[in-house]
Amino acid sequence: MIQIKEASPRAPVRARRAPDPRRRWAGLALLLAAAVYAPFQLAPFHVFQLTMVLIYSVALLGLNLLVGHAGQISLGHGAFFAVGAYAGAIMLDRYDLPYPLTLPIAAAVAFVIGLALGVPAMRLRGLYLALVTLAIAIFLVPLLKRFEELTGGSMGLTLAKPAPPAWSGLAEDQWLYFLTLVVAVVAFLVAAGLLRSRVGRALHAVRDNETAAEVMGVRLSSYKTLAFAWSAMYAGAAGCVYTWVIGFVSPDSFTVNLSITLLAGLVVGGLGSLSGPVLGGLFVMFVPSISQDLNDAAPGVIFGLLIIAVMYVAPTGLAGLAGRLLKKIPRKE
């Protein structure tokens, strides 16, 4: 006679809870409220620092589309940042265009250049692609110095900053901050919509497995090229706003160190997440100054050690670390 053994009792398996969209929207609303409130409580220099964080966040958002979501590598993102900055500066200096018009023009110029560079780059990958993008960042500085009549050469271009309207009652630093905040919010909303669409799914397929993506009908060449163009467009828009805030551009502001710092900031902030560029922007803005304060003789060494320390504590970036910590917080039933 066959005896059937009773299954041993097991602990009930808890179903994984889906993230509550209401909590997410509440958190975003709270963050936006804090961003609007901050410039009225901080000193002008700290408002300027937050403005630069937003600018770097927009630039890193574009780099995140290319590296974090499309799986490509770029060591020349600072070059597209410079293209946007100089496009905006030239429109203001030579043609006296209104400030709002310079933003779409700078973004469009950077998009076209990114599209043109993305066509040959789509056949490369890994270290070869990294070397090509690095070469772009290297030859940009002498190229800008050569066309002195247009770019101002080594002396650069000095521009007037957007003046706050009388009805706003805002100081200049607060006005520049809110202009940058509006650009950043729009940029993040567009990126979030893009990544939730069919395009975002195609980019993720290219990143995860190019062969499988091609079998499923994804056109690798098109999406790789467009990823470069979109990434350049975001960097160009950030560069244009940088021109508004700083009021000055010169070739020495956009060396290859900027490209490397942006990539390091994205990796530290967290690849493939929308919060990673913001955390990366904080890193790019504050860590170099902290390194300089700790040791005037070797700020680069301190900067490198801080990157190593952060990556040791958070291998998936600060965004991944924050996500793991939030999961450990018990939720009420």
Side-chain angles (χ1 to χ4, degrees):
M1 183 176 181
I2 300 176
Q3 294 182 349
I4 302 176
K5 295 183 179 180
E6 295 183 359
S8 58
R10 295 181 180 179
V13 179
R14 292 184 178 180
R16 180 177 294 181
R17 296 179 181 177
D20 189 352
R22 291 175 299 179
R23 295 185 60 173
R24 179 181 298 176
W25 283 109
L28 291 175
L30 183 62
L31 181 62
L32 183 60
V36 172
Y37 180 72
F40 299 105
Q41 302 299 318
L42 299 175
F45 177 69
H46 294 146
V47 175
F48 165 76
Q49 288 181 315
L50 285 183
T51 304
M52 293 302 299
V53 169
L54 292 174
I55 292 173
Y56 288 134
S57 298
V58 174
L60 292 177
L61 182 62
L63 186 59
N64 195 29
L65 289 175
L66 181 65
V67 180
H69 295 283
Q72 308 302 304
I73 188 68
S74 175
L75 292 175
H77 203 61
F80 300 122
F81 190 92
V83 166
Y86 266 94
I90 292 171
M91 292 297 105
L92 292 171
D93 184 68
R94 304 290 189 235
Y95 303 102
D96 199 25
L97 285 183
Y99 287 92
L101 288 181
T102 61
L103 182 61
I105 292 175
V109 170
F111 179 87
V112 171
I113 294 178
L115 191 65
L117 294 175
V119 171
M122 69 182 180
R123 300 181 180 275
L124 303 173
R125 66 180 64 186
L127 294 176
Y128 301 101
L129 182 58
L131 287 175
V132 170
T133 55
L134 179 62
I136 296 171
I138 291 174
F139 78 71
L140 177 70
V141 172
L143 186 65
L144 291 173
K145 292 180 179 179
R146 184 172 181 83
F147 296 95
E148 186 173 354
E149 294 183 358
L150 187 63
T151 64
S154 300
M155 300 301 295
L157 298 173
T158 302
L159 309 158
K161 299 179 182 180
W167 55 263
S168 66
L170 299 174
E172 183 183 76
D173 58 291
Q174 294 172 335
W175 176 247
L176 292 173
Y177 172 83
F178 281 114
L179 287 178
T180 308
L181 180 62
V182 170
V183 173
V185 169
V186 172
F188 273 83
L189 289 176
V190 172
L194 181 69
L195 294 173
R196 289 191 179 94
S197 68
R198 179 181 178 183
V199 174
R201 293 190 293 270
L203 291 177
H204 293 162
V206 173
R207 176 195 62 189
D208 296 337
N209 192 315
E210 292 187 3
T211 304
E214 194 170 15
V215 170
M216 291 187 297
V218 177
R219 298 180 62 182
L220 299 181
S221 58
S222 298
Y223 283 102
K224 283 185 177 182
T225 305
L226 286 175
F228 260 95
W230 290 327
S231 176
M233 181 185 68
Y234 272 92
C240 183
V241 179
Y242 171 89
T243 302
W244 299 353
V245 173
I246 301 298
F248 174 76
V249 290
S250 70
D252 293 331
S253 301
F254 308 106
T255 62
V256 69
N257 289 336
L258 175 61
S259 298
I260 296 174
T261 302
L262 288 174
L263 182 59
L266 178 61
V267 174
V268 170
L271 292 169
S273 67
L274 285 176
S275 60
V278 178
L279 297 173
L282 291 168
F283 181 87
V284 171
M285 181 63 218
F286 290 106
V287 170
S289 60
I290 293 173
S291 303
Q292 186 73 33
D293 294 338
L294 291 177
N295 193 326
D296 293 335
V301 175
I302 303 297
F303 181 72
L305 291 176
L306 287 175
I307 292 177
I308 294 173
V310 171
M311 295 311 300
Y312 180 78
V313 176
T316 57
L318 296 176
L321 176 63
R324 291 196 301 272
L325 293 177
L326 289 175
K327 288 181 179 179
K328 292 181 180 181
I329 299 176
R331 297 183 183 181
K332 294 181 179 180
E333 296 292 342

